[in-house]
Amino acid sequence: KRTETAATPSGDATVQIAVAPWGEVVVDGAVRGVSPPLTQVTLAPGLHTVEIRNGSSPPFVARVELKPGEKIQLQHRFEP
């Protein structure tokens, strides 16, 4: 017997990142790059912790729950 899965939106979700002046992007404890030039990361649906670090400034931390195919945007400005 074969079962068909219901059509779902494209599996992965996208997190768009806008950081000024810059920040190191860490997702679930793994470094993903520096923004800019990094502007987005693709993640599996589910709960993720996104942390953006800039030198000695306090990090920006966001816990996001992503649905399949969802696009969200995180924005943060580090004060000098």
Side-chain angles (χ1 to χ4, degrees):
K1 183 179 176 187
R2 206 172 138 202
T3 56
E4 297 293 326
T5 56
T8 56
S10 133
D12 288 339
T14 303
V15 178
Q16 296 178 318
I17 298 168
V19 180
W22 65 273
E24 181 182 47
V25 179
V26 181
V27 179
D28 299 329
V31 175
R32 298 296 291 263
V34 174
S35 177
L38 181 72
T39 58
Q40 67 181 36
V41 291
T42 302
L43 301 172
L47 193 60
H48 297 279
T49 300
V50 179
E51 183 175 346
I52 302 172
R53 302 174 183 159
N54 176 301
S56 60
S57 298
F60 168 78
V61 180
R63 287 184 57 78
V64 294
E65 186 162 2
L66 302 170
K67 296 175 179 62
E70 185 175 25
K71 282 188 179 183
I72 67 165
Q73 185 173 54
L74 296 178
Q75 294 181 309
H76 185 69
R77 175 176 292 279
F78 286 99
E79 299 300 326

